[in-house]
Amino acid sequence: MSHLTRLIRVELGRKNVRVSVIEPGMVDTELPDHVTDPDASTMMAGLLKDIECLRSTDIAETVAFIGSLPRHVNISELTILPTAQAV
């Protein structure tokens, strides 16, 4: 995804189109309910129990921040993690 967004940014940057990629860590969503791999499911359940995950509003506020920047400013990549989540 990062490589694709870099290519799109190079192509569209000349037209003043900003392209950003947001890479979130653990977000409290329904995703764990859809994971079928037992090991991944166990890992997610442990993380959800042990740390305070990001909320969807955290991601939405980040998107709004990026969109509110002046036209000449582009955040190319942003990784947002819960404070307690190990990288």
Side-chain angles (χ1 to χ4, degrees):
M1 191 54 73
S2 294
H3 187 66
L4 175 63
T5 55
R6 275 189 220 109
L7 292 174
I8 294 171
R9 191 172 24 267
V10 168
E11 182 73 24
L12 299 178
R14 291 174 271 150
K15 298 178 181 180
N16 291 322
V17 175
R18 297 181 293 175
V19 180
S20 300
V21 62
I22 298 173
E23 300 172 343
M26 287 296 295
V27 181
D28 188 11
T29 67
E30 76 284 346
L31 178 63
D33 298 337
H34 302 283
V35 175
T36 57
D37 179 270
D39 293 333
S41 183
T42 301
M43 181 193 71
M44 282 186 182
L47 280 173
L48 288 170
K49 184 180 70 160
D50 294 341
I51 67 173
E52 181 179 357
C53 292
L54 299 171
R55 297 177 305 275
S56 58
T57 55
D58 298 323
I59 306 304
E61 289 171 2
T62 302
V63 171
F65 168 73
I66 290 172
S68 72
L69 293 170
R71 299 279 306 151
H72 69 282
V73 177
N74 185 74
I75 293 179
S76 60
E77 295 179 30
L78 190 138
T79 302
I80 179 171
L81 300 169
T83 303
Q85 181 179 342
V87 178

